Amino acid sequence: MAGNSFGEVFRVTTFGESHGPALGAIIDGCPPGLELSEADLQRDLDRRKPGQSRYTTARREPDQVKILSGVFEGVTTGTSIGLLIENTDQRSKDYSTIKDLFRPGHADYTYHHKYGVRDYRGGGRSSARETALRVAAGAIAKKLLQQQFGCEFYAGVMQIGPHCIDRDDAAFDWAQTHENPLFMPHADIAEATGEYLRDLLKQGDSIGARVRLEVTGVPVGLGEPVFDRFDADLAKALMSINAVKAVSVGDGFAVAAQRGSEHRDEITPDGFVSNHAGGVLGGITSGQTVIAEVAFKPTSSITREGRTIDVHGQPQTVVTRGRHDPCVGIRGVPIVEAMAALTIVDHWLRQRAQNADVWKYGKS
Amino acid sequence: MAGNSFGEVFRVTTFGESHGPALGAIIDGCPPGLELSEADLQRDLDRRKPGQSRYTTARREPDQVKILSGVFEGVTTGTSIGLLIENTDQRSKDYSTIKDLFRPGHADYTYHHKYGVRDYRGGGRSSARETALRVAAGAIAKKLLQQQFGCEFYAGVMQIGPHCIDRDDAAFDWAQTHENPLFMPHADIAEATGEYLRDLLKQGDSIGARVRLEVTGVPVGLGEPVFDRFDADLAKALMSINAVKAVSVGDGFAVAAQRGSEHRDEITPDGFVSNHAGGVLGGITSGQTVIAEVAFKPTSSITREGRTIDVHGQPQTVVTRGRHDPCVGIRGVPIVEAMAALTIVDHWLRQRAQNADVWKYGKS
Amino acid sequence: MAGNSFGEVFRVTTFGESHGPALGAIIDGCPPGLELSEADLQRDLDRRKPGQSRYTTARREPDQVKILSGVFEGVTTGTSIGLLIENTDQRSKDYSTIKDLFRPGHADYTYHHKYGVRDYRGGGRSSARETALRVAAGAIAKKLLQQQFGCEFYAGVMQIGPHCIDRDDAAFDWAQTHENPLFMPHADIAEATGEYLRDLLKQGDSIGARVRLEVTGVPVGLGEPVFDRFDADLAKALMSINAVKAVSVGDGFAVAAQRGSEHRDEITPDGFVSNHAGGVLGGITSGQTVIAEVAFKPTSSITREGRTIDVHGQPQTVVTRGRHDPCVGIRGVPIVEAMAALTIVDHWLRQRAQNADVWKYGKS
Amino acid sequence: MAGNSFGEVFRVTTFGESHGPALGAIIDGCPPGLELSEADLQRDLDRRKPGQSRYTTARREPDQVKILSGVFEGVTTGTSIGLLIENTDQRSKDYSTIKDLFRPGHADYTYHHKYGVRDYRGGGRSSARETALRVAAGAIAKKLLQQQFGCEFYAGVMQIGPHCIDRDDAAFDWAQTHENPLFMPHADIAEATGEYLRDLLKQGDSIGARVRLEVTGVPVGLGEPVFDRFDADLAKALMSINAVKAVSVGDGFAVAAQRGSEHRDEITPDGFVSNHAGGVLGGITSGQTVIAEVAFKPTSSITREGRTIDVHGQPQTVVTRGRHDPCVGIRGVPIVEAMAALTIVDHWLRQRAQNADVWKYGKS
């Protein structure tokens, strides 16, 4: 009911505020028998963690995760897994001046009206800091999927402001996402975008981004129509990430201009001829690569003055100094992967509940 | 787990195949005391029902809904509401020739692999016929929201193929959606698009569409972060509709090119100055108009021959004659409204569970 | 949230009032591939249906169930199953005199205060008439369990007022439950109890009952600690039946006087030596026979005058004439079986979600 | 799905093994605005904690709880509450000798078959140590109920082996439960039972117990028929406690011998005349005192030798030395209170979701 859980079988529940003593998660429903160590989680956490380049917040958090239960002698036991990350670099004083203000574009206004009280330090619960636990949980999901199906996750920034990457560009290369701090799959565009961002930082402004995800190896048969379709739950998963404003699967909004004869993916004995659908038919995965894109809005924490009101309804202006990302979409990349992995694992396990007997046919 | 339910408090569960004896739904969690009759549901059902114009399937179904429980002396009692719609115009023989084929772009392939058996007549459960019950349930949700908050729902087709409507066009007019069979909020473009569709029908092809939704009167405070955000659940609701491939809130994918100084909606004592966010901040409704758009893919049931395989893996070609919509996005309009209404009502009731005491502040 | 659903994977949702046009259910999550016909459901419905002996209500309902979806060519398809039973023998006039009264021992008082409005005819939603759908759904669950594990369900009335059956009595015989209208597993005691009931009917009074259930063939490994233990969910399932006031597993309340050396079931290479636990250890089934007992209160619908108040708080007396069972525990027998079957099937399918890989070891 | 969560609105999810580094819980759905400190939770934890008398395990754990989120400046904020209790007194070596044995009466056998792997130290997840978090969460629930409705919780041990307390005994006194280490509401019987237990300890045996609960102040209207009745969910809550084998509400199993004229609680303008129902009618609370009883089995960890098998199926004998309670029902008392409080709070909040408008009438 209250919404701090994700998934039905592989269920992740999180807690923690930006400036509280710690954040944590419980994962309930992880199958037993998976080899798992804290290092498995740390790899993805390190990709998300702040303070790694000039393009992300200067806050420095080691984001060291501890596994408190559910793993015995290096193997998951099927019982609930407790995760904990302690906060170490909270500078609460940065925020005291905006205690009574509703920063425009932030959740201050809505949290205030919904809950009556709120932890205003660093956005409290509404801070993207909670996504650290999504990434930790997602790392477990990814390991399961890699072992079970050989799934591979590819994600990167396709657009930042005017700088766009074309998926069909000959220089497009997923491997590049590990080579530049913008997680962009195109070396030249990444470099040009870096310059653009440095200029933007000088102006005290921020910018939006578009992130693309491709997952290979997802088996046919995942998704529970008519409401819990795979793509519907994936859309929810991705839209639940801070700052995301749009989600598409396959050709996305471009389908509004496509004809049926152009869009439908024909099938031959060698498999599907194309993948306009993005790996989902009738809400169920088809065995093709799952393709999705999301748009991240520009962060509202900028040093350019904006108009707002305070809790008493009085007009105010606000400038957010603190430590903030100029483009939150960049650090969004591992979060997009994590949420996709959680969605796939959950639907894999859901599928087994009702259809475990069919499953063997499903894979052939 | 199996996915035939939507919502947590106002929970709709549906059943029914395209060519079975009947379709039905149970709504559990409707508050008691709402005046309700079958006529309240029929209005929206009539907007969705087939056979109303040359642009929709020639199947003729009265889609007459019966209320079987949960209403006593014209008023809801708080107990579960049973709804039933009998199928009357099933022509199963139309479909026998494609019994063993996986029609490209359809769910045949994935249902076959997921369940092992399937009702192949008219798509069975994967047919958009199930959306009749979504519309019936959504009509109850809309009535609740209209009575409680004065919410108004506006939805229409913004794009069909090359024909696009600009929201800022002086001739844009929501009232037009009731005046043309394409539910387009622009008289001239609707007329041009009609011509385009007639031509397309002659070619035996189909086309995608983009639908826009605006809901006024939604109160501040709906949404349950961090996962069950209002926009995340709305995205799921809309993506769960047959043929939808993309969902956006507010400015959607355009935010990837926006700056923070441009995107953030400033606040003055008179309220928000703009609505780039589409009525949601931090996953919680802000009291502004909720804005969303979705893309419908072109139906794959066309008379242009396509390649596919049969259940034995042998190559085949398929031509879908039956009775089909050339543009499923058109009849999608009332379904979009219904799914949005179900999302809003559910979050309204969820909000009351935890925050009923705060609610009074929330509205001021 | 509203409570008209049972189960997480094999999920039953019901609707219908005692005197409405029809009752129905949707079963979501039934595995595909099960042969199923209306006759499979009718057998158990006929055991529960009213009007079969002088010991049950004189209301005569054929309780003919229709399957409206989810079954194609005699086999379940994995999509949601719609069930419908029309009401045919409603005599609403019987109830008009008690429209404003809170019959003592009934749900009138609590429904009035909870919902504000209520269908007062025959108890409306609070009537045991809704249990017909539990029995129909339970019949599907039993068929699945019989096919998959060879489970057998034994249930019978062990006590009616002063007449008690000892499980260790040499004349105890489950087969007898099909031979006498009281579903008692003991021929002589059934006959004596029949006399007792005839006398009670003359006095216009009613009596409680205790029902015992034994299920063989339940595999080891069902149950999801620490909260959704198998016995916890079984207790909920049984306590959710109208008029049930107590539930026990294995030795039940007798364990309060047992020593550890007496209670613990020792194990040898041939299996468990005893079954004080009733087939559950640590909330997980052990592979032994599942044993439970429940107590049914006497119906409050009797012709002996009782004091009450009306909706205005004024003192009244009430005599319930209508058509009522003198001992609701008798017809409770198939309902107890049904709720147990639903619990077992649901936990079997839940087990598969997380532990499908382990399952193979689990059965050896 | 995996069962480590309890409740739908006020939802508690727990993790932690007996000998892991820590146990923890997340409470999602606690209303904002409640004053809350760690001391509020510690009071009940101290009542449950081990090592307090000769009748409970010699393990010494401070059971110091930390609140990691969801509380800001002493007040709940409506976001998820993280709780942590570190384990300090784990003596894992005690358990290594029984690593491959299935201790009779324990969950070793069923965990092994369900999960394939298990943390055998001190019972791992199946240890009653997890109930510490139930008590911590229950303390929050009790505080909410005390503030909102003035609810009072009374619970005590009514029976240990042959020593029984009669609820109508003139010397019955709830206050006595705070005066003796057995939590018995009768001074003389508590003393006699103490002697009995000392003798039992010498014999290396254990004994069962019966615990009674009464809660005053529960408002009318809680419970969601037809499946999620208040008593059904209470039964589940109580049966989910380690070692509980039976649950009754009101007169419990005694109703099998009661007549309708005797059982039904008549109503006068002054209220109900009696309370055989235990505060629940038709699955909904009536405003009367909620009454329940549960039976705890004797612990199976005794020093009397028992037969069992090992994981290889070979016959073995086992003697459990470790540190164990001779009567787990004693420390069960605060756990029974906690689970009842969690059930009541959850149903109170559920009631508000659907019926918040009716509520005002409901209380009058």
mmCIF file of all heavy atoms in Angstrom, chain A residues 1 114 203 205 228 236 259 261 264 266 277 304 307 350-351, chain B residues 1 114 203 205 228 236 245 259 261 264 266 277 304 307 350-351:
data_model
loop_
_atom_site.group_PDB
_atom_site.id
_atom_site.type_symbol
_atom_site.label_atom_id
_atom_site.label_comp_id
_atom_site.label_asym_id
_atom_site.label_seq_id
_atom_site.Cartn_x
_atom_site.Cartn_y
_atom_site.Cartn_z
ATOM 1 N N MET A 1 0.839 -1.216 0.000
ATOM 2 C CA MET A 1 0.000 0.000 0.000
ATOM 3 C C MET A 1 0.863 1.250 0.000
ATOM 4 O O MET A 1 0.893 1.971 -0.972
ATOM 5 C CB MET A 1 -0.901 -0.025 1.228
ATOM 6 C CG MET A 1 -2.134 -0.830 0.989
ATOM 7 S SD MET A 1 -3.237 0.056 -0.151
ATOM 8 C CE MET A 1 -3.350 1.618 0.720
ATOM 9 N N LYS A 114 1.284 16.052 1.373
ATOM 10 C CA LYS A 114 0.862 14.664 1.570
ATOM 11 C C LYS A 114 1.009 14.218 3.018
ATOM 12 O O LYS A 114 0.111 13.627 3.589
ATOM 13 C CB LYS A 114 1.680 13.730 0.680
ATOM 14 C CG LYS A 114 1.274 12.257 0.798
ATOM 15 C CD LYS A 114 2.086 11.371 -0.127
ATOM 16 C CE LYS A 114 1.582 9.938 -0.073
ATOM 17 N NZ LYS A 114 0.279 9.755 -0.700
ATOM 18 N N GLN A 203 27.353 28.080 -16.231
ATOM 19 C CA GLN A 203 26.123 28.875 -16.239
ATOM 20 C C GLN A 203 25.214 28.560 -15.059
ATOM 21 O O GLN A 203 24.161 29.161 -14.900
ATOM 22 C CB GLN A 203 25.349 28.624 -17.532
ATOM 23 C CG GLN A 203 26.100 29.012 -18.797
ATOM 24 C CD GLN A 203 25.362 28.543 -20.034
ATOM 25 O OE1 GLN A 203 24.138 28.669 -20.112
ATOM 26 N NE2 GLN A 203 26.104 27.999 -20.997
ATOM 27 N N ASP A 205 23.455 25.893 -14.660
ATOM 28 C CA ASP A 205 22.198 25.305 -15.110
ATOM 29 C C ASP A 205 22.338 23.772 -15.190
ATOM 30 O O ASP A 205 23.405 23.216 -14.904
ATOM 31 C CB ASP A 205 21.805 25.882 -16.482
ATOM 32 C CG ASP A 205 20.291 26.028 -16.620
ATOM 33 O OD1 ASP A 205 19.549 25.285 -15.957
ATOM 34 O OD2 ASP A 205 19.875 26.907 -17.403
ATOM 35 N N ASP A 228 -0.727 -7.086 -15.701
ATOM 36 C CA ASP A 228 0.685 -7.142 -15.325
ATOM 37 C C ASP A 228 1.535 -7.617 -16.497
ATOM 38 O O ASP A 228 2.347 -8.538 -16.372
ATOM 39 C CB ASP A 228 0.868 -8.060 -14.112
ATOM 40 C CG ASP A 228 0.178 -7.505 -12.880
ATOM 41 O OD1 ASP A 228 -0.298 -6.363 -12.918
ATOM 42 O OD2 ASP A 228 0.114 -8.236 -11.877
ATOM 43 N N LYS A 236 6.432 0.829 -15.343
ATOM 44 C CA LYS A 236 6.317 1.288 -13.957
ATOM 45 C C LYS A 236 7.687 1.351 -13.302
ATOM 46 O O LYS A 236 8.030 2.329 -12.627
ATOM 47 C CB LYS A 236 5.409 0.352 -13.162
ATOM 48 C CG LYS A 236 5.421 0.683 -11.690
ATOM 49 C CD LYS A 236 4.425 -0.091 -10.874
ATOM 50 C CE LYS A 236 4.644 0.266 -9.402
ATOM 51 N NZ LYS A 236 3.572 -0.226 -8.543
ATOM 52 N N ARG A 259 3.078 2.212 -40.251
ATOM 53 C CA ARG A 259 1.996 1.381 -40.780
ATOM 54 C C ARG A 259 2.138 -0.043 -40.248
ATOM 55 O O ARG A 259 3.246 -0.472 -39.891
ATOM 56 C CB ARG A 259 2.085 1.342 -42.299
ATOM 57 C CG ARG A 259 1.767 2.691 -42.918
ATOM 58 C CD ARG A 259 1.687 2.579 -44.410
ATOM 59 N NE ARG A 259 1.150 3.816 -44.944
ATOM 60 C CZ ARG A 259 0.437 3.883 -46.068
ATOM 61 N NH1 ARG A 259 0.187 2.772 -46.758
ATOM 62 N NH2 ARG A 259 -0.027 5.032 -46.494
ATOM 63 N N SER A 261 2.078 -2.745 -41.893
ATOM 64 C CA SER A 261 2.947 -3.544 -42.754
ATOM 65 C C SER A 261 4.425 -3.271 -42.471
ATOM 66 O O SER A 261 5.295 -4.061 -42.818
ATOM 67 C CB SER A 261 2.642 -3.239 -44.222
ATOM 68 O OG SER A 261 2.705 -1.842 -44.442
ATOM 69 N N ARG A 264 4.909 -4.555 -37.874
ATOM 70 C CA ARG A 264 4.843 -5.946 -37.407
ATOM 71 C C ARG A 264 6.134 -6.674 -37.775
ATOM 72 O O ARG A 264 6.618 -6.582 -38.896
ATOM 73 C CB ARG A 264 3.637 -6.667 -38.012
ATOM 74 C CG ARG A 264 3.711 -6.790 -39.504
ATOM 75 C CD ARG A 264 2.567 -7.622 -40.064
ATOM 76 N NE ARG A 264 2.582 -7.536 -41.528
ATOM 77 C CZ ARG A 264 1.683 -8.147 -42.295
ATOM 78 N NH1 ARG A 264 0.709 -8.862 -41.759
ATOM 79 N NH2 ARG A 264 1.773 -8.039 -43.601
ATOM 80 N N GLU A 266 7.962 -9.682 -38.850
ATOM 81 C CA GLU A 266 7.695 -10.972 -39.485
ATOM 82 C C GLU A 266 8.576 -12.062 -38.879
ATOM 83 O O GLU A 266 9.610 -11.777 -38.273
ATOM 84 C CB GLU A 266 7.916 -10.859 -40.989
ATOM 85 C CG GLU A 266 6.852 -9.982 -41.662
ATOM 86 C CD GLU A 266 7.059 -9.882 -43.162
ATOM 87 O OE1 GLU A 266 8.142 -9.413 -43.579
ATOM 88 O OE2 GLU A 266 6.133 -10.286 -43.902
ATOM 89 N N ALA A 277 9.031 -4.290 -32.050
ATOM 90 C CA ALA A 277 8.240 -4.477 -30.827
ATOM 91 C C ALA A 277 9.080 -4.313 -29.574
ATOM 92 O O ALA A 277 8.535 -4.123 -28.484
ATOM 93 C CB ALA A 277 7.577 -5.857 -30.841
ATOM 94 N N ARG A 304 20.709 29.060 -10.541
ATOM 95 C CA ARG A 304 19.977 30.173 -11.155
ATOM 96 C C ARG A 304 18.722 30.396 -10.325
ATOM 97 O O ARG A 304 17.974 29.479 -10.037
ATOM 98 C CB ARG A 304 19.608 29.829 -12.595
ATOM 99 C CG ARG A 304 20.866 29.667 -13.472
ATOM 100 C CD ARG A 304 20.496 29.128 -14.816
ATOM 101 N NE ARG A 304 19.960 30.167 -15.679
ATOM 102 C CZ ARG A 304 20.668 30.818 -16.604
ATOM 103 N NH1 ARG A 304 21.950 30.534 -16.763
ATOM 104 N NH2 ARG A 304 20.123 31.729 -17.361
ATOM 105 N N ARG A 307 11.623 31.529 -8.744
ATOM 106 C CA ARG A 307 10.541 31.987 -7.855
ATOM 107 C C ARG A 307 9.852 30.797 -7.187
ATOM 108 O O ARG A 307 9.658 29.747 -7.810
ATOM 109 C CB ARG A 307 9.480 32.744 -8.656
ATOM 110 C CG ARG A 307 9.869 34.131 -9.069
ATOM 111 C CD ARG A 307 8.831 34.702 -10.006
ATOM 112 N NE ARG A 307 8.777 33.964 -11.267
ATOM 113 C CZ ARG A 307 7.792 34.047 -12.161
ATOM 114 N NH1 ARG A 307 6.740 34.819 -11.921
ATOM 115 N NH2 ARG A 307 7.838 33.369 -13.275
ATOM 116 N N ARG A 350 7.564 -15.171 -11.248
ATOM 117 C CA ARG A 350 6.095 -15.229 -11.319
ATOM 118 C C ARG A 350 5.658 -16.278 -12.333
ATOM 119 O O ARG A 350 4.695 -17.009 -12.103
ATOM 120 C CB ARG A 350 5.528 -13.859 -11.716
ATOM 121 C CG ARG A 350 5.609 -12.855 -10.600
ATOM 122 C CD ARG A 350 5.107 -11.490 -11.046
ATOM 123 N NE ARG A 350 3.658 -11.487 -11.249
ATOM 124 C CZ ARG A 350 2.943 -10.392 -11.461
ATOM 125 N NH1 ARG A 350 3.548 -9.205 -11.478
ATOM 126 N NH2 ARG A 350 1.652 -10.446 -11.631
ATOM 127 N N GLN A 351 6.328 -16.293 -13.454
ATOM 128 C CA GLN A 351 6.030 -17.244 -14.520
ATOM 129 C C GLN A 351 6.119 -18.678 -13.996
ATOM 130 O O GLN A 351 5.309 -19.527 -14.338
ATOM 131 C CB GLN A 351 7.022 -17.000 -15.662
ATOM 132 C CG GLN A 351 7.317 -18.172 -16.562
ATOM 133 C CD GLN A 351 6.176 -18.466 -17.505
ATOM 134 O OE1 GLN A 351 5.222 -17.704 -17.615
ATOM 135 N NE2 GLN A 351 6.242 -19.599 -18.149
ATOM 136 N N MET B 1 -0.668 -12.214 -8.620
ATOM 137 C CA MET B 1 0.432 -12.890 -9.326
ATOM 138 C C MET B 1 0.130 -13.062 -10.806
ATOM 139 O O MET B 1 0.790 -12.468 -11.622
ATOM 140 C CB MET B 1 0.649 -14.257 -8.678
ATOM 141 C CG MET B 1 1.520 -14.174 -7.476
ATOM 142 S SD MET B 1 3.227 -13.823 -7.965
ATOM 143 C CE MET B 1 3.486 -15.155 -9.140
ATOM 144 N N LYS B 114 4.057 -19.404 -23.692
ATOM 145 C CA LYS B 114 3.866 -19.227 -22.251
ATOM 146 C C LYS B 114 2.939 -20.285 -21.669
ATOM 147 O O LYS B 114 3.232 -20.871 -20.640
ATOM 148 C CB LYS B 114 3.277 -17.837 -21.962
ATOM 149 C CG LYS B 114 3.100 -17.548 -20.474
ATOM 150 C CD LYS B 114 2.519 -16.168 -20.236
ATOM 151 C CE LYS B 114 2.449 -15.862 -18.747
ATOM 152 N NZ LYS B 114 3.760 -15.650 -18.130
ATOM 153 N N GLN B 203 -5.826 0.233 -49.137
ATOM 154 C CA GLN B 203 -4.545 -0.447 -49.286
ATOM 155 C C GLN B 203 -4.422 -1.662 -48.372
ATOM 156 O O GLN B 203 -3.411 -2.360 -48.403
ATOM 157 C CB GLN B 203 -3.395 0.519 -48.981
ATOM 158 C CG GLN B 203 -3.348 1.730 -49.895
ATOM 159 C CD GLN B 203 -2.333 2.749 -49.402
ATOM 160 O OE1 GLN B 203 -1.254 2.401 -48.970
ATOM 161 N NE2 GLN B 203 -2.703 4.018 -49.465
ATOM 162 N N ASP B 205 -4.008 -1.628 -45.188
ATOM 163 C CA ASP B 205 -2.960 -1.427 -44.190
ATOM 164 C C ASP B 205 -3.557 -0.775 -42.926
ATOM 165 O O ASP B 205 -4.754 -0.487 -42.867
ATOM 166 C CB ASP B 205 -1.837 -0.553 -44.776
ATOM 167 C CG ASP B 205 -0.456 -0.982 -44.268
ATOM 168 O OD1 ASP B 205 -0.388 -1.545 -43.157
ATOM 169 O OD2 ASP B 205 0.525 -0.738 -44.985
ATOM 170 N N ASP B 228 5.744 3.108 -5.776
ATOM 171 C CA ASP B 228 4.379 3.275 -6.274
ATOM 172 C C ASP B 228 4.043 4.747 -6.455
ATOM 173 O O ASP B 228 3.008 5.239 -5.989
ATOM 174 C CB ASP B 228 3.382 2.594 -5.321
ATOM 175 C CG ASP B 228 3.584 1.094 -5.272
ATOM 176 O OD1 ASP B 228 4.368 0.554 -6.079
ATOM 177 O OD2 ASP B 228 2.951 0.454 -4.419
ATOM 178 N N LYS B 236 2.213 2.335 -15.811
ATOM 179 C CA LYS B 236 1.842 0.920 -15.901
ATOM 180 C C LYS B 236 0.425 0.771 -16.438
ATOM 181 O O LYS B 236 0.158 -0.064 -17.311
ATOM 182 C CB LYS B 236 1.941 0.260 -14.526
ATOM 183 C CG LYS B 236 1.380 -1.140 -14.545
ATOM 184 C CD LYS B 236 1.585 -1.903 -13.269
ATOM 185 C CE LYS B 236 0.878 -3.249 -13.404
ATOM 186 N NZ LYS B 236 1.230 -4.174 -12.329
ATOM 187 N N LYS B 245 2.859 1.388 -26.801
ATOM 188 C CA LYS B 245 4.314 1.185 -26.813
ATOM 189 C C LYS B 245 5.097 2.277 -26.096
ATOM 190 O O LYS B 245 6.325 2.164 -25.978
ATOM 191 C CB LYS B 245 4.825 1.100 -28.274
ATOM 192 C CG LYS B 245 4.230 -0.017 -29.109
ATOM 193 C CD LYS B 245 4.447 -1.401 -28.539
ATOM 194 C CE LYS B 245 5.862 -1.897 -28.652
ATOM 195 N NZ LYS B 245 5.967 -3.292 -28.092
ATOM 196 N N ARG B 259 16.593 22.545 -20.239
ATOM 197 C CA ARG B 259 17.452 22.944 -19.139
ATOM 198 C C ARG B 259 16.626 23.030 -17.858
ATOM 199 O O ARG B 259 15.415 23.250 -17.905
ATOM 200 C CB ARG B 259 18.056 24.314 -19.427
ATOM 201 C CG ARG B 259 19.027 24.270 -20.584
ATOM 202 C CD ARG B 259 19.711 25.599 -20.735
ATOM 203 N NE ARG B 259 20.798 25.462 -21.694
ATOM 204 C CZ ARG B 259 21.914 26.182 -21.646
ATOM 205 N NH1 ARG B 259 22.076 27.093 -20.693
ATOM 206 N NH2 ARG B 259 22.856 25.994 -22.532
ATOM 207 N N SER B 261 16.525 25.406 -15.765
ATOM 208 C CA SER B 261 15.927 26.733 -15.611
ATOM 209 C C SER B 261 14.665 26.872 -16.457
ATOM 210 O O SER B 261 13.844 27.750 -16.204
ATOM 211 C CB SER B 261 16.947 27.806 -16.021
ATOM 212 O OG SER B 261 17.443 27.514 -17.328
ATOM 213 N N ARG B 264 11.786 23.487 -14.695
ATOM 214 C CA ARG B 264 11.173 23.547 -13.357
ATOM 215 C C ARG B 264 10.024 24.537 -13.360
ATOM 216 O O ARG B 264 10.144 25.658 -13.850
ATOM 217 C CB ARG B 264 12.219 23.932 -12.306
ATOM 218 C CG ARG B 264 12.789 25.294 -12.508
ATOM 219 C CD ARG B 264 13.732 25.692 -11.386
ATOM 220 N NE ARG B 264 14.370 26.965 -11.715
ATOM 221 C CZ ARG B 264 15.272 27.550 -10.929
ATOM 222 N NH1 ARG B 264 15.637 26.985 -9.794
ATOM 223 N NH2 ARG B 264 15.804 28.705 -11.283
ATOM 224 N N GLU B 266 8.004 27.137 -11.741
ATOM 225 C CA GLU B 266 8.096 28.063 -10.608
ATOM 226 C C GLU B 266 6.724 28.221 -9.934
ATOM 227 O O GLU B 266 5.684 27.940 -10.521
ATOM 228 C CB GLU B 266 8.621 29.416 -11.084
ATOM 229 C CG GLU B 266 10.096 29.341 -11.511
ATOM 230 C CD GLU B 266 10.625 30.681 -11.969
ATOM 231 O OE1 GLU B 266 10.041 31.241 -12.930
ATOM 232 O OE2 GLU B 266 11.589 31.167 -11.368
ATOM 233 N N ALA B 277 5.832 19.631 -15.658
ATOM 234 C CA ALA B 277 5.889 18.364 -14.918
ATOM 235 C C ALA B 277 4.673 17.480 -15.190
ATOM 236 O O ALA B 277 4.705 16.288 -14.911
ATOM 237 C CB ALA B 277 5.989 18.644 -13.414
ATOM 238 N N ARG B 304 -2.538 -7.240 -45.978
ATOM 239 C CA ARG B 304 -1.284 -7.344 -46.726
ATOM 240 C C ARG B 304 -0.545 -8.577 -46.218
ATOM 241 O O ARG B 304 -0.345 -8.744 -45.013
ATOM 242 C CB ARG B 304 -0.442 -6.088 -46.547
ATOM 243 C CG ARG B 304 -1.150 -4.858 -47.123
ATOM 244 C CD ARG B 304 -0.432 -3.591 -46.751
ATOM 245 N NE ARG B 304 0.745 -3.374 -47.567
ATOM 246 C CZ ARG B 304 0.782 -2.575 -48.627
ATOM 247 N NH1 ARG B 304 -0.311 -1.931 -49.001
ATOM 248 N NH2 ARG B 304 1.882 -2.413 -49.317
ATOM 249 N N ARG B 307 5.060 -12.690 -43.729
ATOM 250 C CA ARG B 307 5.701 -13.983 -43.479
ATOM 251 C C ARG B 307 5.592 -14.359 -42.003
ATOM 252 O O ARG B 307 5.682 -13.509 -41.115
ATOM 253 C CB ARG B 307 7.196 -13.914 -43.822
ATOM 254 C CG ARG B 307 7.512 -13.915 -45.303
ATOM 255 C CD ARG B 307 8.990 -13.653 -45.502
ATOM 256 N NE ARG B 307 9.339 -12.301 -45.087
ATOM 257 C CZ ARG B 307 10.590 -11.878 -44.888
ATOM 258 N NH1 ARG B 307 11.617 -12.711 -45.041
ATOM 259 N NH2 ARG B 307 10.828 -10.632 -44.533
ATOM 260 N N ARG B 350 -5.813 4.814 -1.544
ATOM 261 C CA ARG B 350 -4.589 4.416 -0.860
ATOM 262 C C ARG B 350 -4.102 5.524 0.066
ATOM 263 O O ARG B 350 -3.652 5.275 1.176
ATOM 264 C CB ARG B 350 -3.482 4.091 -1.879
ATOM 265 C CG ARG B 350 -3.702 2.776 -2.574
ATOM 266 C CD ARG B 350 -2.648 2.518 -3.635
ATOM 267 N NE ARG B 350 -1.355 2.215 -3.036
ATOM 268 C CZ ARG B 350 -0.309 1.775 -3.717
ATOM 269 N NH1 ARG B 350 -0.408 1.572 -5.023
ATOM 270 N NH2 ARG B 350 0.829 1.521 -3.120
ATOM 271 N N GLN B 351 -4.168 6.727 -0.432
ATOM 272 C CA GLN B 351 -3.754 7.900 0.332
ATOM 273 C C GLN B 351 -4.541 7.994 1.645
ATOM 274 O O GLN B 351 -3.980 8.332 2.684
ATOM 275 C CB GLN B 351 -4.001 9.140 -0.533
ATOM 276 C CG GLN B 351 -4.231 10.438 0.193
ATOM 277 C CD GLN B 351 -2.943 10.993 0.789
ATOM 278 O OE1 GLN B 351 -1.859 10.527 0.509
ATOM 279 N NE2 GLN B 351 -3.100 11.977 1.652
#
